[in-house]
């Protein structure tokens, strides 16, 4: 304890960065003075320390930030203008309840939508995501329900893609198991930036490099923080072309006899004619596709792959031999490659390398999906079932505002109904900045939201005056994690499960109220208060939920001991997690959840979808995991006008937009456009020059960083910067979403955030 600290209280960082860190808050005179790390555990495998990153350590600056919402407010200007008037909580609750009743009465419950939002992710009471597990969902489910969404901005394409290969969410080996690998091949995976907790993936990766001597190859258009001297080789690749690289590698594996034939025969469908389903076309199998006697009659040689990916054919051959000969080899993909217009195909293709080499279901191998993790099973706040069964893709809510009547199951991925009956008229936007900042094509979104005849009511519940909050009709100021009590979890931390007792550190500031109180007050006005609260306070709910969990899992500590210890840790009792281990051991007894029970290289389900869905021009869905061109891809016609491929990436300066208003972090990791010296030279640009990045959807201005750490022809911008349009509508914040599109990917109907073409000028 430092000199003048009155008390130290355990809290947590509950933003959506994929990690979850305990924070020990030092408090003096009722104010947080500084933020300390986890002090428990050992600096070794097992119950190690979970150390917060630069963002968590700046939590004080976020909590006391001048952007904090202080009172409930109603909008008095245009949507987006940011003009508000302070109102009482009474007025706010009454207005929202009245408008909600009107919406339900006039349009039905399907007109009410819970927008995606992951601002407070790990909590029990304060869990904003998945949306159907938030307290807003509990409230709405008691009031007749709401329009559902499926998928998420993180993983829409890999979920829709790899599910067909493995059945359900594709599991991965835990990152601790990397110590057993001989070779780690990372496709668009950057844990040093995207899983920054000191107890998580990067830590395991360093362990694997030091203790297990694994080689590491990083395949990414950018030289990432994960490479950063840790890698043996960086292979820069054109965005959106990983599936072509995979095909080129597969060609070498096949022609040089490195395919694990016994594995594909026993565990897979559609590698060659032996396991090809009867419904498939002649030579519809994977081997035929690669060797050039499939439908497109094109041999996928390393040279063919080189022309598409920009990687020299000799490098592809060498990479194939390394992958083919390293036993075991871990093929792992981040979610960067799949957050693209052909991401479903790419995600399935990358997994092919793990499958062809028989690395699935063994220690040191992997399925080709992202790292898996162990979590202590823990039930949260119950939210009841949603009486409404209709679902849209989480990405298509803007479409569902202005063209709902045109949206169908086979064209727009509507589920539960053939077509949408009702446009969205009421939006709950809780702990999310996806209304504006994080959704694509901000300028188009702006014009949709500005029309108050379309969506009639928008309620935003946040901590800060974000760009999304500026579009609200009513804004409610929520408590931050440190101003209330909760249990926090949901971390990608390898084989260490843990739960944090995030205690109340300071008194609520200003007039802020917590989500439990907000929803309880609304429930009262909607006539469902008793069912909502079950007569418990927030603390009573937490005590109750802990007891429910302790009944299932007696090893969990009791409330008072837990509060004292701050963090409860439990290493995975199974040791390293190996995905599909049981299936590998006995595929008959432990079939996958695919229709065949096997790994489906050829998917009959996808073949049917490809036949029956109405696809937009250029969109491809295919039974085999193959490379496909896309709109705004490297070979698009539009490159004549917009010659640079632009990708976003998840940046250490922020968790999306959260922490984006902390000056310290802006200085530590400035918002800048990464550009290769060749492209800079052609445009006479130097590091630090302010450039305009533009396409036909929008414009932004930001300093350029000229660096060889990015492939020529590609530029990159950290996603999540705060959108700040100037008077002419040019964004001065550097928000990539003024350049991205609303057009969804073909199968998932997900956000193709990393597929963009732009031009850059001084
Ligand atoms: N171009 C592009 N766009 C992207 C991505 C990309 O890669 N490129 N990534 C996408 C992905 S993967 C995701 S997950 C989404 C993330 O999109 P969002 O889920 O919108 O994430 P954030 O921007 O962090 O917004 C979270 C909001 O919650 C608020 N918040 C934080 N804590 C609390 C709290 O305790 N209570 C309340 N009420 N509010 C709180 C924050 O102030 C912030 O406004 O963005 C997507 N958008
Ligand atoms: N610091 C920080 N950490 C975060 C987040 C954050 O905002 N900030 N967000 C969290 C969330 S919600 C999510 S979903 C995850 C996201 O995790 P990811 O989706 O894995 O993160 P990205 O940075 O979008 O992409 C990872 C890498 O893929 C590369 N990439 C892009 N396109 C391609 C391609 O076509 N091929 C290849 N081979 N590589 C490509 C990018 O350059 C990047 O280095 O991160 C989480 N962690
Ligand atoms: S942003 Fe993520 S890694 Fe950083 S402190 Fe918060 S939970 Fe931990
Ligand atoms: Mo995400």
């Amino acid at each position: 304890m430092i000199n003048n600290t009155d008390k130290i209280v355990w809290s947590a960082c509950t933003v959506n960065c994929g990690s979850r860190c305990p924070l020990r808050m030092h408090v003096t005179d009722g104010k947080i003075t500084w933020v300390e790390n986890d002090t428990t555990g050992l600096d070794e495998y097992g119950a190690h320390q979970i150390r917060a990153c630069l963002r968590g350590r700046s939590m004080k600056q976020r909590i006391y930030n001048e952007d904090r919402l202080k009172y409930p407010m109603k909008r008095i200007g245009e949507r987006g203008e940011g003009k508000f008037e302070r109102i009482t909580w009474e007025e706010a609750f009454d207005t929202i309840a009245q408008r909600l009743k009107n919406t339900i009465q006039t349009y039905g419950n399907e007109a009410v939508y819970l927008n995606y939002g992951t601002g407070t992710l790990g909590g029990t009471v304060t869990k904003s995501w998945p949306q159907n597990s938030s307290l807003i969902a509990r409230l709405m489910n008691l009031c007749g329900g709401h329009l559902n969404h499926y998928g998420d901005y993180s993983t829409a394409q890999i979920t829709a893609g790899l599910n067909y290969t493995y059945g359900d969410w594709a599991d991965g080996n835990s990152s601790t198991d990397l110590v057993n690998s001989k070779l780690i091949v990372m496709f668009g995976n950057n844990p040093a930036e995207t899983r920054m907790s000191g107890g998580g993936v990067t830590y395991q990766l360093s362990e694997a490099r030091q203790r297990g001597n694994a080689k590491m190859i990083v395949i990414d258009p950018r030289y990432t923080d994960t490479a950063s001297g840790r890698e043996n080789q960086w292979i820069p690749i054109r965005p959106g072309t990983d599936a072509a690289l995979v095909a080129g590698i597969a060609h070498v594996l096949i022609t040089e006899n490195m395919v694990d034939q016994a594995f594909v025969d026993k565990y897979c469908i559609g590698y060659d004619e032996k396991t090809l389903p009867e419904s498939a076309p002649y030579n519809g199998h994977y081997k035929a596709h690669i060797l050039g006697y499939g439908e497109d009659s094109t041999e996928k040689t390393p040279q063919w792959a080189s022309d598409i990916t920009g990687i020299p054919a000799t490098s592809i051959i060498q990479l194939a031999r390394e992958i083919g000969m390293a036993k075991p080899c871990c093929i792992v993909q981040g979610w960067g490659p799949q957050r693209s217009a052909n991401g479903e195909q790419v995600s399935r293709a990358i997994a092919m390398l793990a499958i062809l080499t028989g690395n699935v279901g063994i220690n040191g191998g992997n399925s080709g999906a992202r790292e898996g993790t162990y979590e202590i099973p823990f039930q949260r706040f119950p939210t009841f079932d949603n009486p409404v069964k209709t679902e849209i893709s989480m990405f298509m809510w803007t479409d569902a505002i202005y063209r709902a009547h045109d949206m169908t199951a086979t064209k727009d991925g509507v589920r539960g109904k053939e077509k949408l009956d009702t446009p969205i008229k009421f939006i709950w936007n809780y702990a999310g900045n996806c209304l504006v900042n994080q959704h694509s094509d901000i300028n188009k979104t702006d014009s949709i939201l500005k029309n108050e005849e379309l969506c009639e009511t928008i309620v935003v519940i946040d901590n800060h005056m974000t760009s999304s909050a500026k579009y609200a009709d009513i804004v409610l100021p929520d408590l931050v994690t440190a101003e209330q009590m909760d249990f926090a979890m949901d971390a990608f931390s390898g084989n260490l499960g843990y739960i944090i007792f995030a205690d109340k550190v300071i008194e609520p500031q200003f007039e802020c109220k917590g989500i439990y109180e907000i929803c309880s007050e609304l429930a009262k006005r909607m006539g469902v208060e008793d069912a909502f609260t079950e007569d418990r306070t927030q603390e009573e709910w937490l005590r109750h939920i802990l007891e429910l969990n302790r009944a299932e899992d007696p090893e969990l500590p009791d409330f008072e001991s837990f509060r004292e210890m701050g963090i409860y840790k439990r290493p995975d009792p199974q040791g390293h997690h190996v995905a599909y281990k049981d299936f590998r051991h006995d595929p008959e007894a432990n079939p996958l959840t695919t229709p065949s029970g096997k790994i489906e290289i050829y998917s009959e389900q996808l073949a049917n979808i490809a036949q029956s869905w109405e696809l937009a021009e250029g969109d491809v869905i295919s039974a085999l995991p193959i490379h496909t061109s896309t709109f705004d891809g490297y070979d698009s016609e539009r490159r004549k006008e917009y010659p640079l491929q632009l990708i976003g990436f998840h940046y250490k300066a922020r968790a999306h937009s959260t922490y984006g208003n902390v000056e310290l972090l802006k200085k530590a990791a400035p918002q800048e456009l990464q550009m290769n010296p060749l492209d800079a030279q052609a445009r006479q640009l130097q590091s630090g020059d302010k450039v305009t990045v533009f396409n036909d959807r929008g414009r932004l201005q930001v300093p350029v960083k000229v660096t060889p750490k990015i492939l020529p022809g590609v530029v990159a911008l950290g996603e999540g910067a705060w959108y700040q349009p100037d008077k002419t509508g040019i964004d001065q914040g550097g928000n990539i979403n003024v350049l991205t599109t609303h057009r969804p990917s073909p199968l998932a109907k997900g956000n193709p955030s990393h597929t963009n073409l732009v031009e850059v000028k001084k």
Side-chain angles (χ1 to χ4, degrees):
M1 198 180 282
I2 57 163
N3 296 339
N4 56 354
T5 298
D6 293 341
K7 59 174 180 176
I8 303 173
V9 187
W10 286 93
S11 182
C13 179
T14 58
V15 300
N16 179 12
C17 78
S19 302
R20 179 76 48 246
C21 299
L23 303 173
R24 283 163 52 82
M25 307 283 211
H26 289 238
V27 182
T28 306
D29 295 334
K31 282 228 152 203
I32 297 165
T33 47
W34 68 288
V35 177
E36 191 189 6
N37 270 310
D38 184 11
T39 47
T40 70
L42 306 163
D43 189 17
E44 59 183 45
Y45 264 11
H48 49 263
Q49 289 186 351
I50 311 294
R51 295 181 197 140
C53 79
L54 70 169
R55 298 179 297 279
R57 292 179 199 211
S58 321
M59 183 63 98
K60 190 178 96 176
Q61 283 83 347
R62 187 158 85 84
I63 293 174
Y64 296 124
N65 196 286
E66 58 180 23
D67 289 323
R68 268 301 287 272
L69 295 170
K70 301 180 177 67
Y71 324 101
M73 295 191 290
K74 73 173 179 205
R75 184 171 53 79
I76 50 172
E78 251 200 336
R79 282 193 184 145
E81 221 184 334
K83 288 192 185 148
F84 290 94
E85 187 179 275
R86 180 176 175 178
I87 54 174
T88 62
W89 276 104
E90 275 312 291
E91 182 179 345
F93 290 140
D94 290 345
T95 312
I96 295 170
Q98 196 51 51
R99 286 191 176 210
L100 189 55
K101 283 179 195 162
N102 285 349
T103 304
I104 294 172
Q105 206 170 30
T106 317
Y107 305 102
N109 283 77
E110 276 185 29
V112 181
Y113 186 63
L114 275 55
N115 201 22
Y116 180 90
T118 63
T120 167
L121 192 64
T124 302
V125 174
T126 59
K127 195 172 194 282
S128 72
W129 186 87
Q131 264 57 48
N132 60 8
S133 66
S134 75
L135 290 188
I136 306 282
R138 180 176 166 96
L139 172 68
M140 284 314 306
N141 291 342
L142 288 169
C143 300
H146 59 91
L147 179 64
N148 292 293
H149 66 229
Y150 62 86
D152 54 64
Y153 285 79
S154 315
T155 63
Q157 289 87 330
I158 194 171
T159 303
L162 264 189
N163 281 21
Y164 289 96
T165 307
Y166 288 108
D168 298 328
W169 173 252
D171 194 10
N173 289 21
S174 63
S175 46
T176 51
D177 185 51
L178 289 170
V179 287
N180 294 313
S181 302
K182 288 284 179 293
L183 173 66
I184 303 164
V185 185
M186 299 250 183
F187 283 85
N189 193 24
N190 184 18
E193 195 154 1
T194 60
R195 299 281 184 253
M196 277 181 89
S197 154
V201 180
T202 317
Y203 171 67
Q204 328 284 6
L205 192 60
S206 300
E207 284 282 315
R209 301 279 291 137
Q210 279 165 23
R211 300 206 322 193
N213 288 315
K215 277 182 87 169
M216 180 169 95
I217 298 174
V218 171
I219 301 169
D220 198 302
R222 302 181 310 124
Y223 183 79
T224 59
D225 285 12
T226 301
S228 200
R230 222 185 259 117
E231 89 290 4
N232 295 80
Q233 195 185 1
W234 168 46
I235 302 180
I237 185 169
R238 285 190 188 122
T241 67
D242 297 71
L245 171 62
V246 168
I249 294 172
H251 191 276
V252 179
L253 294 176
I254 295 170
T255 53
E256 297 190 4
N257 248 330
M258 288 184 284
V259 171
D260 187 336
Q261 187 72 42
F263 180 83
V264 291
D265 287 349
K266 183 169 176 189
Y267 298 97
C268 303
I269 296 290
Y271 169 67
D272 55 21
E273 59 280 345
K274 274 179 275 173
T275 54
L276 190 66
E278 266 177 31
S279 66
Y282 178 67
N283 279 340
H285 50 87
Y286 188 76
K287 193 173 173 182
H289 172 75
I290 298 297
L291 295 182
Y293 50 96
E295 199 190 341
D296 65 357
S297 308
T298 307
E299 197 174 348
K300 311 301 178 305
T301 61
Q303 189 55 51
W304 171 89
S306 172
D307 293 343
I308 296 171
T309 58
I311 303 169
T314 48
S315 301
I316 297 176
I317 295 168
Q318 192 201 336
L319 177 60
R321 289 178 183 156
E322 294 217 37
I323 291 173
M325 288 188 296
K327 303 280 175 202
C329 171
C330 169
I331 304 285
V332 56
Q333 60 181 307
W335 300 331
Q338 59 88 47
R339 201 172 297 105
S340 60
N342 57 1
E344 297 93 339
Q345 303 277 26
V346 171
S347 64
R348 289 171 67 223
I350 294 170
M352 281 310 299
L353 296 179
I355 295 165
L356 292 173
T357 53
N359 274 300
V360 182
I362 57 172
N363 278 105
N366 189 29
S367 60
R370 199 165 183 174
E371 315 85 15
T373 198
Y374 171 68
E375 278 186 72
I376 303 171
F378 196 86
Q379 23 169 334
R380 314 290 174 89
F381 217 111
T383 50
F384 307 114
D385 280 340
N386 184 356
V388 174
K389 299 299 170 210
T390 315
E391 297 182 18
I392 58 169
S393 151
M394 52 71 222
F395 183 57
M396 296 198 66
W397 61 272
T398 24
D399 291 64
I401 291 177
Y402 77 92
R403 60 169 197 95
H405 295 298
D406 180 45
M407 286 173 68
T408 70
T410 53
K411 186 162 59 65
D412 307 284
V414 172
R415 294 185 187 166
K417 266 195 179 165
E418 282 304 305
K419 53 178 277 302
L420 270 193
D421 294 326
T422 320
I424 294 172
K425 291 289 179 186
F426 188 115
I427 295 180
W428 286 107
N429 195 80
Y430 165 47
N433 208 352
C434 272
L435 200 61
V436 178
N437 218 77
Q438 298 305 111
H439 188 49
S440 297
D441 202 341
I442 289 182
N443 291 313
K444 185 171 174 192
T445 305
D446 168 82
S447 68
I448 296 167
L449 294 181
K450 275 223 168 92
N451 185 343
E452 293 177 44
E453 283 175 20
L454 293 174
C455 181
E456 296 172 358
T457 304
I458 300 174
V459 179
V460 169
I461 306 171
D462 207 293
N463 301 136
H464 294 110
M465 182 44 85
T466 62
S467 58
S468 293
K470 290 183 181 156
Y471 286 75
D473 301 312
I474 302 279
V475 186
L476 303 179
D478 195 7
L479 299 179
V480 295
T481 312
E483 290 163 344
Q484 60 190 318
M485 185 193 282
D486 206 351
F487 306 138
M489 58 212 97
D490 295 342
F492 286 88
S493 56
N495 70 345
L496 180 63
Y498 57 88
I499 307 175
I500 303 160
F501 195 118
D503 211 342
K504 181 171 168 181
V505 181
I506 51 171
E507 286 305 314
Q509 299 183 78
F510 318 108
E511 276 190 15
C512 299
K513 284 189 196 296
I515 192 68
Y516 183 68
E517 190 182 347
I518 291 173
C519 289
S520 303
E521 287 289 337
L522 288 165
K524 191 190 291 175
R525 287 161 178 82
M526 298 300 290
V528 293
E529 187 186 15
D530 292 347
F532 185 84
T533 64
E534 298 180 28
D535 214 19
R536 291 191 187 93
T537 64
Q538 181 159 336
E539 180 173 333
E540 283 164 355
W541 265 109
L542 286 167
R543 287 177 182 272
H544 171 68
I545 289 169
L546 184 60
E547 282 318 307
L548 288 180
N549 282 292
R550 274 164 51 82
E552 299 283 313
D553 181 354
E555 278 178 43
L556 290 172
D558 65 61
F559 191 86
E560 299 308 333
S561 325
F562 187 16
R563 191 173 199 175
E564 184 64 30
M565 58 173 87
I567 180 165
Y568 171 74
K569 298 176 181 173
R570 182 191 296 166
D572 188 344
Q574 314 263 325
H576 303 301
H577 175 66
V578 175
Y580 307 114
K581 192 178 182 176
D582 296 345
F583 168 70
R584 179 79 190 240
H585 175 67
D586 185 347
E588 304 293 319
N590 308 295
L592 301 182
T593 51
T594 53
S596 61
K598 296 194 174 181
I599 297 172
E600 299 204 346
I601 299 171
Y602 181 99
S603 163
E604 285 184 290
Q605 280 179 315
L606 284 175
N608 286 337
I609 292 175
Q611 290 288 317
S612 53
W613 280 21
E614 277 174 76
L615 292 175
E617 166 103 28
D619 278 4
V620 178
I621 294 176
S622 86
L624 287 177
I626 62 176
H627 170 72
T628 51
S629 292
T630 68
F631 63 87
D632 290 1
Y634 86 99
D635 54 352
S636 157
E637 273 291 301
R638 273 161 54 87
R639 276 195 69 187
K640 289 196 190 111
E641 220 176 327
Y642 304 111
L644 297 165
Q645 286 189 276
L646 167 70
I647 53 170
F649 62 95
H650 290 233
Y651 195 23
K652 61 194 158 208
R654 304 173 290 270
H656 311 290
S657 69
T658 310
Y659 286 105
N661 50 352
V662 173
E663 290 304 323
L664 213 68
L665 295 173
K666 284 195 209 171
K667 292 211 175 78
Q671 185 68 2
E672 52 199 9
L673 182 81
Q674 300 177 345
M675 179 185 266
N676 186 276
L678 288 175
D679 295 317
Q681 214 171 28
R683 292 166 180 77
Q684 294 180 320
L685 299 173
Q686 284 176 340
S687 272
D689 285 349
K690 194 172 187 185
V691 293
T692 303
V693 190
F694 63 99
N695 61 19
D696 49 355
R697 292 185 280 270
R699 293 176 168 251
L700 62 84
Q701 289 178 340
V702 52
V704 66
K705 164 100 170 186
V706 180
T707 167
K709 293 182 179 178
I710 186 159
L711 187 69
V714 184
V715 287
L717 198 58
E719 63 97 358
W722 282 40
Y723 170 59
Q724 287 160 24
D726 63 16
K727 287 199 183 76
T728 61
I730 301 175
D731 174 41
Q732 300 296 325
N735 186 313
I736 188 173
N737 281 325
V738 299
L739 303 165
T740 52
T741 178
H742 279 184
R743 177 169 170 178
S745 65
L747 177 65
K749 306 299 176 197
N751 46 309
S753 308
H754 294 345
T755 305
N756 311 290
L757 293 177
V758 296
E759 177 55 300
V760 175
K761 64 171 193 211
K762 204 163 177 166

